[in-house]
Amino acid sequence: MATASDPSNGPEPRRHAALVYNPIKVEQRSLRAMVERASADAGWDAPAFFETTPEDLGDGVARQAVDGGADAVLVAGGDGTVRAVSEAMAGTGVPLTIVPSGTGNLLARNLRLPMEDRERVIRGTFEGDRAAIDVGYAGMRRADGSYEERAFVVMGGMGLDAAMIANTSPQLKKTVGWVAYVDGAARSLVNARPFRVVYQIVGHRLHSTRVQSILFANCGSLPAGLELIPEASIADGQLDIVIFQPKGPLGWIFVWRRVAWDNSVLRRFRGGRRILALRTKDSSVLYSRGTAVEVGAAEGAHPVQLDGDEFGEAVHITVRVDPGALTIALPKGHRLPR
C-alpha cells in the first residue's frame, strides 16, 4: 500500500495564482511581469490572468479563477474592482492580495499596505502572512419591491454621500483622482435636503430622525489622511454606523471640524484628546456600532453607494457583517491596524 512518502504517489501538484485586473486602471504589462516573476521565484506555476469588463466588474472572473483551482488571487483596479472581487472571494478561504491601484485605494489604505511598493505587496501572495477581515453586506429594497444584496469591504451609505458619488464626473475622477469628489459634493450640496429615516441597530431601540446621510462602515480611513471613524476596525465583527445630521451651514462646519480636525489631527496626540474630552458635544455627527442595522427611508427612495460606487436608489436597507469572511494576503511581517 502506498504511503505519503512513496514515490508512486507522484509529485505534489504545484500551486498557481490568478491576477484579476482592470485594464483601464493599471499598466498591465509591468503588473503582469511582476506577478510572473514573484510566482516563478516562489516555485509556483505560471499565473493565470483575468481582465474585468464593463459587464463583469471582477466578481465573475474571480469565481472563475477559484473554480479553476487558483491557490491565491490578486486584484488590481479601482475600489469598485476590489469590492466586486472581494464579494466573490468571501467565504472561499482562498487568500486575496490587494495590489494598490486606481484612484482611491480605500481598502489598501485601511490595511496600511505599502502603497508605493507594489512588488512587496505582490510577493506577500507567495511568502507573506494571512489575516481574516470582515465583509459587510447591504440588502437593498427598491421602490418597485425588487431586492438585491451586495457586499462592501470599506463602507456604504444612503443619502448625500451617495448623491455626491452619483454627481461626480467619471472623466474628472479619471483625471484628478479622488479630488473629483469635491466637485461632486459641490453639485450635491446645492439641492441637499435632510430626509427622515427610521433605523434600528440590532439589540437597540428603534430611532426616527432626519439625516443628510447614514453610513455603515467596515473601516474608517479616507484619502488625504482623513479619519471618518478613528476607532473602526476591519476585523472586530462590528459595523460602525455614522449619521450626519447637520442643522444649516453651521452644522456643516461642525461636520468638517469633526472629520478633518478632531478625528484626523487632535486624536493623534494626548493633549488633543484632552481637548476633545472637555469640548461640548454636538449632534451633527453621531456614531454607533453593532453587528447589523436596518434603515428605512420614510419619504421615498434615496441613492445608495457601496465602496464609492453608486447602486441606485432604495427605500429600505438591511446591513449585516460577516466576521472574518475574507482572507487577505499581506507582506511578511505586516500587521493589520487595530
Side-chain angles (χ1 to χ4, degrees), residues 60-239:
V61 287
R63 292 188 183 97
Q64 185 179 337
V66 173
D67 291 344
D71 297 281
V73 174
L74 303 91
V75 58
D79 294 323
T81 304
V82 172
R83 188 211 64 78
V85 172
S86 297
E87 180 176 275
M89 299 290 296
T92 66
V94 177
L96 177 65
T97 300
I98 312 298
V99 182
S101 312
T103 54
N105 288 301
L106 286 178
L107 183 56
R109 292 179 192 279
N110 278 277
L111 294 172
R112 305 283 172 84
L113 294 177
M115 304 297 291
E116 304 302 323
D117 193 351
R118 292 199 301 171
E119 190 157 353
R120 183 181 171 217
V121 174
I122 289 169
R123 290 190 176 277
T125 308
F126 310 98
E127 59 188 26
D129 297 322
R130 303 290 183 260
I133 68 170
D134 304 336
V135 176
Y137 289 89
M140 297 163 283
R141 180 74 62 187
R142 313 294 186 184
D144 63 3
S146 61
Y147 181 84
E148 177 184 21
E149 185 178 69
R150 303 304 296 265
F152 63 94
V153 286
V154 180
M155 67 183 69
M158 170 187 274
L160 181 61
D161 64 300
M164 176 190 75
I165 288 167
N167 285 328
T168 298
S169 163
Q171 185 57 44
L172 189 62
K173 184 179 176 184
K174 183 178 180 181
T175 304
V176 301
W178 68 270
V179 179
Y181 289 125
V182 175
D183 177 70
R187 293 171 184 268
S188 303
L189 281 169
V190 172
N191 298 313
R193 298 290 183 274
F195 61 99
R196 183 163 295 280
V197 296
V198 177
Y199 72 96
Q200 184 170 28
I201 300 169
V202 64
H204 297 268
R205 65 183 182 87
L206 194 70
H207 293 269
S208 175
T209 188
R210 297 185 71 81
V211 304
Q212 287 282 6
S213 283
I214 181 166
L215 301 180
F216 27 88
N218 195 28
C219 43
S221 296
L222 298 174
L226 294 179
E227 292 293 333
L228 178 62
I229 314 165
E231 297 178 355
S233 168
I234 202 167
D236 63 354
Q238 298 275 311
L239 291 168

Side-chain angles (χ1 to χ4, degrees), residues 16-21 28-29 31-37 39 46-52 61 64-65 74:
H16 82 275
L19 169 67
V20 177
Y21 65 92
Q28 54 183 294
R29 180 176 296 181
L31 177 64
R32 289 172 61 140
M34 279 191 284
V35 175
E36 287 174 332
R37 187 165 54 248
S39 184
F49 298 109
F50 298 88
E51 289 188 4
T52 66
V61 287
Q64 185 179 337
L74 303 91

